[in-house]
Amino acid sequence: FLHHGLGQRKAGAEAHQLDALQQAGIERARHLTEQLLNLARTQAGTAGETDVDVSIMARELIAEYLPFAEAKRIDLGLDECALLALHVSPEPLRLILRNGLENALKYTPKGGEVTLRLLREHRDAVIEVVDNGPGIPAEERHRAFDPFHRLPGTPGEGSGLGLAIARDAAARLGGHVSLHDRADGANGLVFRYRQALAPPGDPAAAVN
């Protein structure tokens, strides 16, 4: 009876492990499909432009990702150094910020910090996601935006599409995404999206 009981427990544990692996595979496939659809939508560029309150969008995204951050004991916050409004298609902008937040939360270790920061520099809107994770070596950052590229030694099961999608979405909006060291010299990474607040020659560009 003892051997029979041990065998049942072992079989149960193996079945549970197999189920977990299957669920992980399904989740990876779902995420990849979602990323490919996002890439196709971004490249199609069919959505119309409207006035977007970036502060409201930022708060919505913080609320959306807060449960995941809390599960990893990550301090997720919003730093509004400026009130930003952009005349853009909202979904590509949301997609850019989602990818920045998802990468930061994925690679920042437990107990870390991730901050979504809104800035204004001259006539540019600047949106940053700042983390204190492992960062990306400077010589690898240009390749990080290549589709399906994964950095050597990168943990996790990402598709390698997130930053490529963000770059394409930024180009559609007339903006630019880039990766930088933290200004304070601490470990981590800054994901930055920059876009002009108004086109050159537009009277709105002269409004402070």
Side-chain angles (χ1 to χ4, degrees), residues 60-142:
E60 290 172 350
L61 288 169
I62 292 292
E64 179 181 341
Y65 285 101
L66 193 58
F68 181 78
E70 289 178 340
K72 286 188 68 177
R73 301 195 302 276
I74 290 175
D75 181 7
L76 175 61
L78 175 62
D79 184 8
E80 295 183 78
C81 301
L83 298 177
L84 301 178
L86 293 170
H87 188 73
V88 295
S89 177
E91 287 314 306
L93 178 62
R94 189 183 298 272
L95 192 59
I96 292 166
L97 303 189
R98 276 179 183 275
N99 277 296
L101 282 169
E102 284 182 4
N103 277 335
L105 290 168
K106 183 188 298 182
Y107 297 114
T108 297
K110 290 183 178 180
E113 295 182 0
V114 173
T115 302
L116 180 58
R117 181 176 296 155
L118 310 182
L119 309 163
R120 179 170 174 163
E121 293 183 354
H122 305 292
R123 292 174 179 170
D124 287 349
V126 179
I127 307 170
E128 296 181 336
V129 179
V130 184
D131 66 55
N132 63 348
I136 298 175
E139 62 273 15
E140 289 283 347
R141 289 175 193 163
H142 68 289

Side-chain angles (χ1 to χ4, degrees), residues 25-38:
I26 291 170
E27 178 59 24
R28 286 195 297 274
R30 184 201 64 78
H31 185 67
L32 177 58
T33 301
E34 183 179 286
Q35 293 282 54
L36 289 169
L37 286 171
N38 285 335

